[in-house]
Structures are given as structure tokens and as C-alpha cells.
Amino acid sequence: LIKRYKRFLADVHLDDGIQITLHCPNTGAMTGCAVPGSEVRYSWNDNGKRKYPGTWEMVNVDGHWITVNTNTANKLVKEAIEHQQFPLFEGIKSFRAEVKYGEENSRIDFLLVDEQEKQVFIEVKSVTLLEGSCGFFPDAVTKRGQKHVRELMQMKMAGHRAVLLFCVQHQGINEVRCASHIDKEY
């Protein structure tokens, strides 16, 4: 990694010395994940419509691989739901992704319906901030994340199940806590 900039771009040196710009699909601060000189992994898409065909996927910082592509968290959770890997979601008869809901015009990551026709609203958050051996979320003040929590609270008060699911994709994280020292409102 040379550097990350403009939130959505990262410059990297390849093994052959060529420098390329990758798309960075992580809107967060990426605290501790954008360390110049770190080894990165990226995917490549030859679709001619893309300005940057490379996508930054992972970074190795201090010997820990970290998935920085936040879209991966939703893919992993979707696969786990499909393969019934969450005892918390047993008895689910259907689910949809990216469903509009709430008073603040949000999109929920997953809306599940259980056998009793009860709705389960799941918001997935990708945890990459490591302090000691603990992961923290969020890694920056997040008005959008605050909105998601408010919307989930409203769903719970309306009698639905509401789940804030933290997907940890950092080899150094052994537990997760709310980063109230970063975002008190969250």
C-alpha cells in the first residue's frame, strides 16, 4: 500500500514495480487498516465500464489479515443465513436483502421472516478497528450508523426482532465492543 485517499481510492505498488490505483469500497476511517507499506490483496474486474478495475479486498497489518471490503461482511452473513449457521435465526422461512424500511428512509441489510410470521431486521457492521486484542465499532463518528441503530430501536418497539450483527474480519480481534470513546451517540 502506498496510500489511501479521497475515501474511495488507494494506490499500491505491485510486485513487478508497477503502481496502480484501486477502488476502496470502505467508507469508514479504516483506522489501523491503511498503513503505508502494508501488503494488500485485491480483486480485478475487466468490465470496461469501471474506471478502476481493481478493488481493494484485504490488508495485512502487524501480521493480521483484515478484510477492508465492507461488502464482504454482508456476503458472509448471507451465506451463513442460507446455510442455517446462526442458531439465533432458526426457523426462518424467508429472507430478503436491502429492503427499504423505517421512518428515516433506511435500507436494512437483511429482513427475515420466521415461521410465526415475525420479522427479523438485521443490520450488519464490519469490524476492523483493533485496540489491544479488542475490536471496536465504529472507527469514526457515523451519522449513518446512528440512524441505523435508531431504526432498529423503532422496529424493536414495534414488536419485531432487531439485530445489530458485528462481522469480525480481522485476525487480531478476539472480542467486540462499542467504540463509545469514538462515537458517544452510537
Side-chain angles (χ1 to χ4, degrees):
L1 176 66
I2 299 169
K3 66 179 177 177
R4 176 196 184 210
Y5 56 101
K6 294 184 181 179
R7 257 183 31 180
F8 295 105
L9 301 175
D11 288 340
V12 298
H13 275 160
L14 303 181
D15 288 340
D16 60 8
I18 294 174
Q19 179 178 320
I20 63 170
T21 300
L22 301 174
H23 168 68
C24 178
N26 188 324
T27 60
M30 291 180 56
T31 305
C33 297
V35 179
S38 298
E39 181 181 359
V40 301
R41 291 186 178 162
Y42 64 94
S43 59
W44 197 261
N45 184 329
D46 286 322
N47 181 340
K49 295 179 183 179
R50 287 184 58 151
K51 184 173 182 179
Y52 301 101
T55 301
W56 186 7
E57 301 289 346
M58 301 178 80
V59 64
N60 189 315
V61 178
D62 297 329
H64 298 135
W65 280 105
I66 307 161
T67 301
V68 297
N69 184 341
T70 56
N71 299 321
T72 304
N74 283 31
K75 290 176 185 174
L76 290 171
V77 170
K78 180 180 185 236
E79 184 177 323
I81 292 170
E82 288 174 338
H83 291 93
Q84 301 174 357
Q85 296 299 305
F86 290 114
L88 180 64
F89 306 134
E90 286 181 0
I92 297 302
K93 69 177 196 177
S94 68
F95 77 94
R96 296 181 296 154
E98 295 295 323
V99 177
K100 285 187 178 184
Y101 83 113
E103 297 174 4
E104 297 184 56
N105 196 26
S106 295
R107 285 188 183 270
I108 194 69
D109 290 318
F110 298 102
L111 175 59
L112 286 62
V113 178
D114 67 19
E115 292 168 337
Q116 290 78 39
E117 299 299 320
K118 191 166 189 173
Q119 293 181 325
V120 183
F121 292 81
I122 303 172
E123 182 65 33
V124 178
K125 299 298 183 191
S126 181
V127 182
T128 59
L129 176 60
L130 175 67
E131 293 180 6
S133 65
C134 187
F136 286 92
F137 188 89
D139 66 353
V141 174
T142 172
K143 297 294 183 191
R144 185 169 169 260
Q146 292 170 17
K147 178 178 92 162
H148 292 159
V149 171
R150 286 191 305 273
E151 295 277 40
L152 285 174
M153 291 167 61
Q154 289 295 320
M155 294 301 104
K156 179 67 176 165
M157 288 189 288
H160 305 290
R161 289 175 62 193
V163 177
L164 187 56
L165 195 153
F166 295 101
C167 183
V168 177
Q169 298 178 88
H170 188 304
Q171 288 181 317
I173 294 176
N174 296 313
E175 64 179 291
V176 176
R177 295 184 185 164
C178 185
S180 56
H181 61 292
I182 294 172
D183 188 344
K184 291 181 188 334
E185 288 297 314
Y186 188 84

